Amino acid sequence: MKKVLAMLLAAAMMFSLAACGGSSSSSAASTDAASSEAGSSTEASSEEGSSEEASSGESDVARIQAAGELVMLTNCGFPPFEYIDGTEPAGVDVDICAAIAEELGVELRVVDMDFDGVINALVSGKGDIIGAGMTITEERLQSVDFSDVYFTSAQYMILPPDSTIASLADLAGKSIGVQTGTTGDLFIDGEISDGALKDTGATLKQYKTGLEASLDLLNGRLDVVVLDQFPAQTIVSQNEGALKLSDGAINDSESYALAVNKGSDLLPVVNEVLAGMLEDGSIDELVTFHTENTADAA
Ligand code: ARG
């Protein structure tokens, strides 16, 4: 079974090097300690088998410590929570996961991928933890376990400076951009199919990141981008005068948490680190630091 894991780790490592422009990596994946693991005859031969193994009750903590690295799955187009600083992944979630890695005595490796793929990647064993400004939802709870809440947010609108759009109702008939698979995407999709925007002619356009959506807004191909508050604020501050932020949120507040595989023994470790960082104010400090670090980066 560990052989399969090692192969997955190696594949994920190659992926992360390609996708993230190279982040710290160890040679842990080459360590072959699979020799006498029992009961692996059927599972070891298929990649699907390894996905079951990831949530089959084996200790995640022991496996991570043996591998020497904690693999964080994310999408780096979401400042200040995750972004590329020069060539390296950075952000609030990266720092939180680095603290968790430190607690475990291992290195952190960040895998940058499409946001709508992170849950599948976790469940199929391509990483240990999702740190992606991810909102707790009922649907996601079917697939993963969430940590305690470490941040509260909501959906905001990014608008051209002269826009008169001020509320959800004003999105009637408009062309709306979102990041694929996010709560903003799901919220607007719901409003168009069965809510305030139903039959108004409003259209939804999906993008790989909020940043890409905002480029289309700048180019006049969209009327509005719907995105989480802090990333929206960051994009606006990077485009001062060319974009503005809505005065308030257009949905109810959302709770960010880290995600691990169901039943993982990583969860108590994650919650312990989070509790410490919430209590001593580090999370607030990180939000401030990374907000400033990305404010005029464009
Ligand atoms: N909070 C939103 C959600 O859970 C957006 C998260 C997007 N995160 C990212 N790293 N791109 O759907």
Side-chain angles (χ1 to χ4, degrees):
M1 278 190 267
K2 288 210 176 117
K3 267 182 190 154
V4 177
L5 270 175
M7 276 166 49
L8 279 174
L9 279 170
M13 191 174 290
M14 276 156 55
F15 176 79
S16 91
L17 286 173
C20 238
S23 53
S24 68
S25 63
S26 72
S27 58
S30 64
T31 315
D32 184 359
S35 49
S36 61
E37 199 86 38
S40 59
S41 51
T42 49
E43 286 184 6
S45 57
S46 80
E47 291 226 336
E48 259 87 297
S50 65
S51 69
E52 282 165 31
E53 181 186 288
S55 53
S56 69
E58 210 178 83
S59 167
D60 261 357
V61 169
R63 183 181 49 73
I64 290 162
Q65 287 178 329
E69 64 173 9
L70 176 72
V71 181
M72 168 189 176
L73 303 165
T74 194
N75 165 263
C76 289
F78 200 69
F81 290 91
E82 37 270 332
Y83 56 97
I84 301 294
D85 191 8
T87 58
E88 291 298 308
V92 178
D93 293 323
V94 176
D95 287 338
I96 293 173
C97 287
I100 296 166
E102 197 182 340
E103 177 71 24
L104 295 166
V106 299
E107 297 286 310
L108 175 69
R109 180 158 59 84
V110 180
V111 178
D112 184 14
M113 60 191 302
D114 289 348
F115 180 75
D116 65 347
V118 291
I119 287 190
N120 271 340
L122 179 74
V123 171
S124 63
K126 295 191 174 70
D128 307 308
I129 187 165
I130 298 172
M134 182 174 267
T135 303
I136 300 175
T137 69
E138 282 302 319
E139 204 202 332
R140 291 169 181 167
L141 275 166
Q142 311 284 311
S143 321
V144 301
D145 280 354
F146 279 107
S147 71
D148 293 336
V149 173
Y150 66 89
F151 200 76
T152 302
S153 189
Q155 297 302 311
Y156 274 59
M157 297 185 288
I158 306 176
L159 299 159
D162 56 350
S163 175
T164 56
I165 295 172
S167 67
L168 179 65
D170 295 337
L171 296 183
K174 302 296 186 197
S175 181
I176 310 164
V178 296
Q179 182 180 22
T180 309
T182 60
T183 41
D185 183 2
L186 299 171
F187 174 66
I188 294 299
D189 195 38
E191 293 301 318
I192 289 176
S193 66
D194 195 23
L197 304 178
K198 192 174 155 89
D199 300 328
T200 66
T203 55
L204 177 72
K205 277 201 207 170
Q206 298 174 308
Y207 296 83
K208 280 192 187 295
T209 65
L211 301 167
E212 283 179 34
S214 301
L215 286 180
D216 259 8
L217 182 61
L218 286 166
N219 293 334
R221 293 195 197 95
L222 290 174
D223 297 307
V224 55
V225 170
V226 171
L227 192 62
D228 294 47
Q229 178 179 8
F230 273 70
Q233 233 160 46
T234 302
I235 290 172
V236 168
S237 75
Q238 290 175 349
N239 293 278
E240 233 195 291
L243 295 173
K244 70 175 182 185
L245 190 68
S246 59
D247 281 339
I250 57 166
N251 72 341
D252 295 337
S253 73
E254 303 184 9
S255 299
Y256 288 180
L258 301 165
V260 297
N261 270 307
K262 277 196 167 298
S264 171
D265 61 349
L266 195 53
L267 195 61
V269 181
V270 170
N271 281 335
E272 190 192 308
V273 170
L274 279 179
M277 294 181 82
L278 284 166
E279 203 180 292
D280 70 8
S282 334
I283 300 228
D284 286 339
E285 278 169 28
L286 287 173
V287 171
T288 305
F289 172 79
H290 288 291
T291 298
E292 282 167 8
N293 200 35
T294 50
D296 46 17

